[in-house]
Each structure stands twice: as C-alpha cells, then as structure tokens.
Amino acid sequence: MDQTEHTHVTPPPYSLSIVEVVQNPGLGATLIWSATSGHYTEVAAAFPLHLAFLVLPMVLHFKTRSIISDTYKSSGLAKFAFKFKGHEDDLLAIHTRALLLRTLTLDSLSAAFASNLLSLDYTNASVLPTRVRGRPPQTQNIESMLDAATKLGHWFARLPLRQITSMLRVEL
Amino acid sequence: MYFQILKLVLWPRKGGEPRVVPFERNVVNVISGGSKTGKSAVIPIIDYCLGSEHCAIPVGKIRQACNWFGVVVDTSDGEILFARREPGDVRRQGDFFVLQDTTISVPHTIADKSHSREEVKELLNRLSGLSNLRFEADPDVGYKARVGFRDLMAFVFQPQNIVANPDVLFFKADTTEHRERLKTILPYVLGAVTPRTLAARQELVQVQRQLKRLSADLRSIESTADRWAADGRSWLQQAIELGLARESRIPDSWPEILHQLRAIANVTHPSVAPTVRGAESTIRRIASLREEVRRLSSEATDHRQRLAEIHQLTESSNQFGGALELQRERLALSTWLRDRFEEQDTPFERRAADSALIERLCSALGSIELQVRTQPMVRNTLDKEEIERKAALGAALERLAGAKKELAVYERSTAEAKAAGDRLAFAERFLGKLEQAISQYDDADHTQPLRNEIAALSAREVALRYEIDDQSIRRKLDQALDEIERLTGRLVPDLDGEWKTSPVRLNIQELSVEVDREGRKHFLWEIGSGANWLAYHIAITVALQQFFARKPHHEVPGLLVYDQPSQVYFPKRASETDDDNSDDGGVDWRDEDIEAVRAVFALLGRVVTDAKAPLQVIVLDHADGEVWGDLPGVQLCDRWRDGEKLVPVAWLEED
C-alpha cells in the first residue's frame, strides 16, 4: 500500500494533545466564556450552569466540533443532532465525555471566575459573561474551537433546557 | 407508546390569540359538532403536524385563516409542541417549530421554523423506540425501509372515508405504496419480526458478502496474494537493497512478485553490493508502514471502545420496545459539587467564604435537575450503529493484520541485516532463505487459513438463517393473529354487527378482516351493511390497541381518532360528509340508531377505562349528548354548534 493511498483524516496541525487540553483550564475558561457570550448575544440572559458542563465535551472533541463547524448557526441544535443519524453512539458519547470532563469544566469555570471573565449567580445556578467581545486572535485551531463554542451558545439560547438535554441525550 | 394529545392549536394568519382545543388524557374525548364546523379537518391537522408528507387539511376557510397548525403531545419524554406552517401554494411544506419541555405553554405566535420534516420524523421515530434497521438490506426496495413512526399512523386514525369503508380497513391503505408498506411492517408491529430478526438479516447480508468474496479468493490464487504479497514485496525490497535486483517498481500482484523472486533466486550474483538508495527506500517503507499500523490500531481501538460502550448500554439498560431506556450515571452536578466541597476540593470557596453560598448553588442545581428528571431516562435504538461498528472494526483489523505482517518481515530483516554485519554473507544468506521460502510456498497449502475462515463464516450463516427462519416468523404471526381474533371476539358482541358470534380474523395479505360464518370465510367487502363495516372497523382497531398494550412499551401510540363513526346511522340527508348546509345537531335519530351509536361510545369508554396501558380516544361526531351522555370514560371536550366552530368566526371576517 502506498502512502499516498491513505484516506484517513489527519488531525489538524497545532492540535493540542490530550494532556495539554486536560491541563489547560485557561483554554476551557475561554471556551465556556465564548459559549456564554454567544448565548448572551442571542437572548441577553444568564447561561445555565448545567449547560456550561456540555461545552468542553462538545468542543474539545474533534469529530463533534467538526459537525458543529459544518452546521450553520441559523440551523440550530436540531440540525446538529440530526447529523448523527446512523451513528447515534457518537451523540450518546457526549454524556460520557461530560462525566469525564466534569473536573476540567470546574477548573475552567474557576479560572474564568478568578480572571473575571464570568460571574456566578449562586441562586439561579447560572453564569454571566462580564463582557461579550474582545477575544484576542488565536491560532487557527483554537479559533475554530472558540467559534464552535460561540455557536453552541447561540443554539442553547433558543431552546428550553429540557429540550437541549433530550436532543443531546444528556442526563442531568 | 405513551403518546396523548393535550391540545390542538391554530394560529391565526391575521394575529391575535391562537385557538386551542384541549383534550383529556386516558378518556374518550368527544368533539360534537354540526356540519361544516371543521370536524373533518382534525385528523388531517394532527397528521400534518406529526410529519405527514402532504397536507390533507381541506383547502378553504381553515387554511386561509391560519398560518400555523400545532398539536401539544404528552410523551414519555415530556410534553412536545409540534407546529407546522400552513403550506400555502407549496406542495411540500417542511417548516416545523418544535418545543419540548416538562410542561408546554402555547406560544402566542410562532416566530420561525426550528426543525425540518426529516428532523421531526427522526424525533418521532426515536420517541416510539422503533428499530432503525431496514427490513431488507437492499436499499432499493423502498417499502422495505425501516419502520417509521409515520407508518404507525395506520393504527391510529380512522377518518370519515375509512371508518366504515368495506374496501379499506386502515388509514391510507388505499394506495398501493402504503398497502405494501403496511404488509411489510405488520409482522414487526405484531411482534413476529423483532429488532433481533432485523439485525440478523442485516448481518446475514454482510456474512454472505464476505463469504462470496473469500470463496472467490480461494478459487483464484491471485487473491491469496495479500498475505504472500506482503512478504514477497519485502523480499524484493531487500533484494534491491542488497543489489541482487535492479531497482524498479515493485509489482502489486503476487504472481508477478513471485516471478521476479524466482528470477532473483535463480541467478548467481557475482557481486552483491547493497545500494544506499535501496536501503533508503526500505526505511521509507518501514516508516510509512509504522504510521499505517499506528493509525489502524487507533481506528480499531476507537471502534472497539464504541462497541464496548454500546454493549454496556445494551446490558445495563432496560429494553423499551425496540429501544433502550438508557441507564447511565447522571451528570448530577448538585451532588457532585456538594461532595467536592465537603472534600475541600472546589475552587469556589476562594470566592465564597461560607458554605451557605455553595449550598444555595447546589440546591438551585438540584431543583433544576429534579425538574428535568421528571421524565425517565432518554431512549435510543442502536441496532444499526452496532452492526456498522462491527463491520468497520472487522475491516480495520483485517487491514491492520496485513500491515503488521509486512512490517514484521521488514523489521526482522533489518534487524538481521544489522546483526549480520557482513553484507556479502548476508546477501548469500538472503538468497538461501529466499530459495527456501519459495520452495516453502510451493509446498505449503497456503489456503488453509482461508478455508478456516470460510468454515467459520458458513457456520455463522447457518446460525443466522435459523434466527430469521420464515417458518418461525409465520408461527409467531399466527399466534398474534389468533390473539387478536380472540380480542375482537370479545368486542363484536357489544356492537351493532349482524354476526355477533362469528370469528373475525385480520388478513395481512388482503389488509382486511375475514369473518368466518358457518365454515365459510367472507372478506369485509363481501359482507353488506354499513353497520357491519363500522362494527368490524371499531373492533379491529380497538383489538389491535389491546394487543399492543400487552407488550410493555409497544411502539404504536396508544391513541385512536375516529371521525364520524355514526355516519352509517344517519338519515341519508345528513350522512353526506360535511358539505351539507344544515348546521344542526338536530338530526332525527331513530331509537335503534341511537342505541347502536351509543354502543360504540360505551365500548370505547369501557376500553379506555380498562386499558392495560394508557390509551386516549378522540371521536369527532355529529352525535350529541343524547347519544353518548353519561357513559363512563366518555366526556365532551368541545362542542361546535350555534356558531362555535374549529376556526373562530372572527378570523374569517374581512377587516
């Protein structure tokens, strides 16, 4: 077999290794903030804390992120979920990853609180972005993660929590 | 399947409050109305909102006055509003707005679409828990595609033109395509064909394909090449490196490789000098093989992990019809955070000096979780995914084995080359080994592993054939039909049919019922009288629902909608659809007709009251309270008379 015959998808350049991602609450904080800012742009409301725990499992996973990137913002979460038709085990894996990444999400959230990117509303279990603009330029790969997170925020804003968890097969 | 209609909603084109018709769960809901009040639009509206291909809502006032139609449905996954845009001049309008929540409050207006028709169908398919496998693996046979929620509407609706029709028993079974679909899916709906049968059918196709391929391999030595060719290519590569052969393109097919190797082995080489370029090309090949092995291993690991996850879900989850009620660890942030806080492991205490704040947060999280959890776990069918993952894993492993084998040969020989030191001696040894290998190849029956593989696949084929054995499917189907016959037999005596004790059997081939009278079987269309036709329609649709209710979480919605069952008892003048002009409830009923229609309502009321699984019935009828009043399980949900109609009159007035 010749090398040129490979048809697999190679990971994009500058991809962060798993270790880098896991140890990088800074990136996690920025991603969760992106989602909250997308959400805020759509409905000017606080972001449910439960949903913050779905951002990293969806955005850090290359295959899932690609599907987010390939879906128009205007199409919404239903269209995104529909794209898993025939390989719904990939959709069910979001929940599995959400469990695995709980700690990273928590560390990311604390980084975001500490740096004043996000503020926490204890009474309503939600977070608010302290600003919605002004992200510094990033490498292309991180840029695509931030875009995906922002888009997720927009999608989440259009639906009740109950519908989001049902669509993404996530159990709170 | 728990699926009950809570509201029918119409949004006016010219703005204002939507019109909401409410329904009760687990009772017979009667909408009683005069002619031309919109009764016959109800089934088409519900069907349209549940994803029908075409809009059958009558063209005219209703469609002129409304721009969206909707139904709020109570399901095991919470309440869902399915709203769909009025199609206007478009033949196929696919704009849906879907809202899902623990309880739904009807939005004042619908801003825009959120779902396509395909997405709605997928959502409904998932709710029903139908297997996502096709009936036949051949995708060209349309009516053999997977059973979908849409197909199940045949067991739910009995519109005015069907409810007492001698020729057509089921909704939409008046077109060839739907008839074929129904014949295909009935064995599944009746439990004779199971998701497991479908999975076995799919796997059988794959196994047969593989068998065909391997048998062809066996017949032609050309194709056993894969394994030998891998060895042969590395032999050639080394020969080039040792200067035993001129560098040229290494052929792909085994016979050519063998031909070249024989040529090398049969020539005496006065000077054996390895060339640098040859060595380089070996190194390159090794590097690319290693990369390929790494990639294929990770691909295989990925598939394996997913399969393990699917199996784990399958084993740990409850079966819900054909679907799984997933049993997974919940995200449970409220308890998780609390535990971490107690272990002093949360970052929040830096911001919150006291634990009161954390407690407040956890209880807020907890109450949100409780709200969302009022419903059971999510459900999914993963039949198709499992089969496709298995196939992908098999393919990856096969390619991996080939690449590993070739790599091993290269790595062995380069290690040997290093150890040998003396290039010349190595080259001679190489030639010696090459000759030995060629003669080994000539002697060996290298088809043995292939034969073993074919034997294993053939055994699997036999096992699968046994699982999808037509005879056992037929047997199960007969048992189901016997059971339905028994259930029908308990219903018919209470209705106004002529032959109260004659056995009635569903005939799947004809999609009709056969009535056995004094040893002779008569199809529905051979029996006279509208009263008989109505009795058999009611009895068979109810008996089917009772049959479905016996299986926990059956896929068919526990819902029946009848439009104008009393029409066969009307004086002729009033029985002509909704087009006559009298807006009256004042049809002159004869006593025996009232009794006959009342018997239908009484039976339906009894059925919902005694149902083993939740069942909702909606009846749209001319008949008023005098006919169906004071019956247990039967209640009025709306009355469309004296100017009251489905569409408020004000919507139709010119501004």
Side-chain angles (χ1 to χ4, degrees), chain B residues 264-283:
Chain B
I264 294 166
N266 292 340
V267 171
T268 44
H269 298 270
S271 67
V272 179
T275 66
V276 176
R277 279 186 54 194
E280 269 178 8
S281 83
T282 302
I283 288 165

Side-chain angles (χ1 to χ4, degrees), chain A residues 106 122, chain B residues 333-362:
Chain A
L106 189 59
Y122 287 86
Chain B
L333 294 181
S334 52
T335 48
W336 181 75
L337 266 178
R338 211 176 260 128
D339 294 348
R340 294 198 47 150
F341 183 68
E342 278 163 14
E343 293 162 16
Q344 290 299 310
D345 190 20
T346 138
F348 290 113
E349 63 262 30
R350 281 198 301 277
R351 303 178 50 81
D354 57 347
S355 60
L357 274 178
I358 291 292
E359 189 42 49
R360 192 190 299 172
L361 177 69
C362 290

Side-chain angles (χ1 to χ4, degrees), chain A residues 38 57 64 132:
Chain A
T64 308
V132 290

